Amino acid sequence: MHPSRTAEAKPALTSIPIKRFVERVPGGMMTLPLAVGAIVSTIAPNTPRLFGSFTGALFTGSLPILAVFYVCIGATVSIRSLPGVLKKGGVLLGTKVLLGIASGILIGHWLGIEPVATGWFTGFSTLAVVAAINDTNGGLYMALMNQFGRPQDAAAYSVMSLESGPFLTMVTLGVAGLSAFPWQALVGAVLPLAIGMLLGNLDPDLREFLGRAAPVLIPFFAFALGATLNLKLVWKAGLSGLALGISVLVLSALFLACADRLIGGNGTAGIAASTTAGNAAAVPALVAAANPKYAAAAAPATVLVACSVVVTAIAAPFLTAWWSSRISSRQ
């Protein structure tokens, strides 16, 4: 046999099927990097400052990666699908707001404004529940939709992003003091997606080029997102935080999946939106600043909402993957 042919027959390195293993885990491209980021951030929180440079940027760069992800996702969205984007985003947003209002009325009637003072659920409050329900983890939602949904499902978050911040929580709680969203923040949330849509609809080659990049960004964004989570918060919040996270996920998934199915979806987008955004942890303090009556509830609510962020970020991908697999097997 010719020497060159012999060399070609033998691989230079032993092949390890890492990608195949990751894809066997439900939502693996999202959940495993997210878990690694959370573990590293919990065990060695000073890692970004220790190494700095590109390594530090990878730990703290979820927003830039998400901005690029928006452009790539936008490029795959056809102008013809815009009515569907507005419809799905509006329905999911409206359902979340109504669920928050209903929870606020029910729990508020039971607990009032003050947090629970003693017992297993010490610190539990109406403020914590409403803040945890009202804001969806947009990056996680879009990453899950890129893997289990359609481009227009991911693009629906451009409408759902209106729930970010304390405004809807204040409205839900009946607190006055914030009249409108800053227009710059709203435009900034939609602009990368709009630029991607413009480029993709003007040039089919750009649509294909940018669209192929979207799945590649998922594990990097997931790692950066996980690096913002501290698993110690779950232990610190105790049973209250764990119960809040599970309740938010289960109740939101139930109502949002039903709403998604009513408008022609299969429920996957609704389940993927059943999370708590990381910036929701700042909402209790902002609400307390607007209305001092919530001052006592703000500190424990911050910890509880942060715990809900961790619990829903870890559990939602598995629930979404399970539901998507169930739907696929039926079809």
Side-chain angles (χ1 to χ4, degrees):
M1 184 179 290
H2 196 275
S4 62
R5 293 181 181 177
T6 305
E8 291 176 0
K10 295 181 180 180
L13 294 173
T14 302
S15 177
I16 302 176
I18 299 175
K19 182 173 179 289
R20 193 181 308 168
F21 169 76
V22 171
E23 289 175 339
R24 287 178 179 174
V25 179
M29 283 296 178
M30 183 71 198
T31 56
L32 291 183
L34 185 143
V36 171
I39 292 171
V40 173
S41 180
T42 302
I43 297 176
N46 293 323
T47 300
R49 290 191 294 273
L50 176 63
F51 292 101
S53 188
F54 301 118
T55 302
L58 185 60
F59 275 81
T60 58
S62 59
L63 288 181
I65 299 174
L66 181 55
V68 178
F69 186 74
Y70 255 121
V71 175
C72 295
I73 284 293
T76 64
V77 178
S78 171
I79 293 294
R80 296 177 181 177
S81 67
L82 271 181
V85 170
L86 296 175
K87 179 181 179 182
K88 173 152 290 192
V91 168
L92 292 179
L93 172 63
T95 304
K96 268 232 161 189
V97 172
L98 291 175
L99 182 59
I101 292 174
S103 300
I105 293 174
L106 180 63
I107 299 176
H109 179 74
W110 176 41
L111 291 181
I113 294 176
E114 298 297 321
V116 176
T118 58
W120 286 96
F121 294 95
T122 300
F124 194 83
S125 65
T126 307
L127 175 60
V129 174
V130 174
I133 289 177
N134 267 349
D135 204 346
T136 297
N137 189 325
L140 183 59
Y141 170 81
M142 288 189 297
L144 290 172
M145 284 299 91
N146 188 73
Q147 186 168 357
F148 301 109
R150 300 168 298 175
Q152 52 266 41
D153 292 332
Y157 185 72
S158 60
V159 178
M160 296 167 63
S161 64
L162 294 173
E163 66 190 0
S164 299
F167 178 71
L168 288 179
T169 300
M170 290 181 180
V171 171
T172 303
L173 296 170
V175 179
L178 188 61
S179 58
F181 288 103
W183 68 267
Q184 298 94 332
L186 294 180
V187 173
V190 180
L191 195 56
L193 182 73
I195 292 174
M197 290 178 61
L198 178 64
L199 294 174
N201 282 276
L202 288 177
D203 186 353
D205 290 336
L206 268 179
R207 175 182 296 178
E208 182 182 357
F209 173 72
L210 293 173
R212 287 200 305 265
V216 178
L217 294 171
I218 292 177
F220 296 99
F221 174 78
F223 178 85
L225 176 65
T228 65
L229 304 177
N230 190 334
L231 298 178
K232 293 179 181 177
L233 291 174
V234 178
W235 177 262
K236 185 176 180 181
L239 184 60
S240 298
L242 184 62
L244 178 61
I246 294 175
S247 299
V248 167
L249 179 64
V250 173
L251 288 176
S252 298
L254 177 63
F255 286 95
L256 291 175
C258 290
D260 185 24
R261 292 174 71 91
L262 287 175
I263 58 173
N266 59 18
T268 305
I271 294 176
S274 304
T275 55
T276 301
N279 56 18
V283 169
L286 295 173
V287 171
N291 189 335
K293 291 182 179 179
Y294 290 92
T302 299
V303 176
L304 290 173
V305 174
C307 183
S308 182
V309 174
V310 176
V311 172
T312 57
I314 293 174
F318 290 96
L319 184 60
T320 304
W322 169 78
W323 180 261
S324 178
S325 175
R326 186 169 178 265
I327 293 296
S328 298
S329 64
R330 285 184 175 183
Q331 294 176 344

